Amino acid sequence: MKEYAAGMKWGEGPRRQHGALWLSDTQGGKLWTDHDGPWRGVPLDSVPNGLWFLPDGRLVGAMMHERRIGVWTGRRFATYADLGAVATGPLGDLVGDAHGNLYVDDVGFAAHTGKPPRPGRLLRVGVGGSVDVAAAGLEFPNGLAFVDDGRTLVVAETARQRLTAFTVADDGVLANRRTYADLGRLAGDDARPDGIWATRDGVWVATTTGHAVALVREDELVTSVDTGTLLPIACCADGDGRLFVTLADLQGLPLGEALATKAVRTTVGLLDAPATGDLA
């Protein structure tokens, strides 16, 4: 795996658009991109977690410590949708459909602060700004991705070590909850899924403490790439046979301590992954 970029503390939500990479540094308080040429981090007063591009090309982010979706102005994330009446926070990953509807993790508790776990939810943000609860009772909802041409939404449940799937109705309602992939069984006892990315060949999963990036189909492990001592956080493919993976170096510390002391360092690894064209 080749190094693509460095300098982050904890890289989440990697996204590619027009040949540029964007990601959120939730621990470092920056938005990183090579959109304008050199790889650089833009300091932020309020940092997003998950990122997504709307159909019109605008970048939006799930503001991690606020109950809103922000839209990037080039200098800051202005409010795109207010989730204050519904969200409990913190907010996690973010994904959108072809119509511009967004789905975001309402995690339910701040794990890195030592707060006791409680069930999380998925929130749906309509094109007009409406917000409702799309699914409840999720144990640390994390990575999100559409498969089957948008007919199925997959969410990583980190605490349950699995990917969970929902059928997406024409009106965006989620139904028929089911296990898509048992990561503990398929990728190892230490696999705890964080970021995911859907391709024609399956769903790539960053397994964090599993120290691997795994490609899975429904209840099937296709392949796995070992990341050594580094923890894979999140990933995205560019459709040209390349997978971008954010990789955390904990400096020999336990994960909780490394996050609490901000000792962790993140790089972006570039993996050659043939035939990983993005799903429509």
Side-chain angles (χ1 to χ4, degrees), residues 107-118:
V107 179
F109 73 104
H112 65 284
T113 65
K115 290 187 176 181
R118 66 177 182 178

Side-chain angles (χ1 to χ4, degrees), residues 23 39 51 70 78 80 83 90 105 109 157 164 171 174 177 190 209 215 242 244 248:
L23 65 80
W39 183 245
L51 300 173
Y80 174 78
L83 280 56
D105 298 319
F109 73 104
E157 287 190 84
T164 297
D171 60 1
L174 303 183
R177 182 189 305 213
D190 294 327
T209 51
L215 179 64
R242 298 187 301 173
F244 296 82

Side-chain angles (χ1 to χ4, degrees), residues 50-226:
L51 300 173
W52 193 254
F53 285 98
L54 296 170
D56 63 10
R58 288 181 294 168
L59 176 67
V60 289
M63 308 312 293
M64 187 175 181
H65 302 298
E66 302 176 33
R67 299 174 186 178
R68 69 185 180 101
I69 302 297
V71 60
W72 182 240
T73 67
R75 300 178 63 182
R76 65 185 183 91
F77 279 92
T79 297
Y80 174 78
D82 185 349
L83 280 56
V86 180
T88 60
L91 300 183
D93 210 347
L94 182 67
V95 74
D97 64 20
H99 306 290
N101 300 300
L102 299 172
Y103 293 81
V104 59
D105 298 319
D106 184 7
V107 179
F109 73 104
H112 65 284
T113 65
K115 290 187 176 181
R118 66 177 182 178
R121 308 178 298 172
L122 289 184
L123 305 182
R124 181 183 56 184
V125 182
V127 176
S130 62
V131 183
D132 57 31
V133 178
L138 296 163
E139 297 193 32
F140 205 127
N142 217 320
L144 293 163
F146 283 103
V147 298
D148 301 330
D149 294 322
R151 294 187 295 270
T152 300
L153 178 63
V154 177
V155 56
E157 287 190 84
T158 302
R160 291 297 298 271
Q161 297 181 270
R162 70 184 180 189
L163 302 186
T164 297
F166 295 89
T167 298
V168 184
D170 291 341
D171 60 1
V173 171
L174 303 183
N176 188 26
R177 182 189 305 213
R178 59 205 183 270
T179 297
Y180 182 86
D182 181 341
L183 271 298
R185 179 175 59 83
L186 294 175
D189 293 340
D190 294 327
R192 287 171 175 78
D194 190 335
I196 65 176
W197 191 264
T199 72
R200 286 191 296 265
D201 301 300
V203 178
W204 282 101
V205 184
T207 67
T208 58
T209 51
H211 295 273
V213 187
L215 179 64
V216 300
R217 297 193 187 102
E218 196 157 356
D219 203 35
E220 175 191 0
L221 176 65
V222 178
T223 189
S224 180
V225 179
D226 188 279

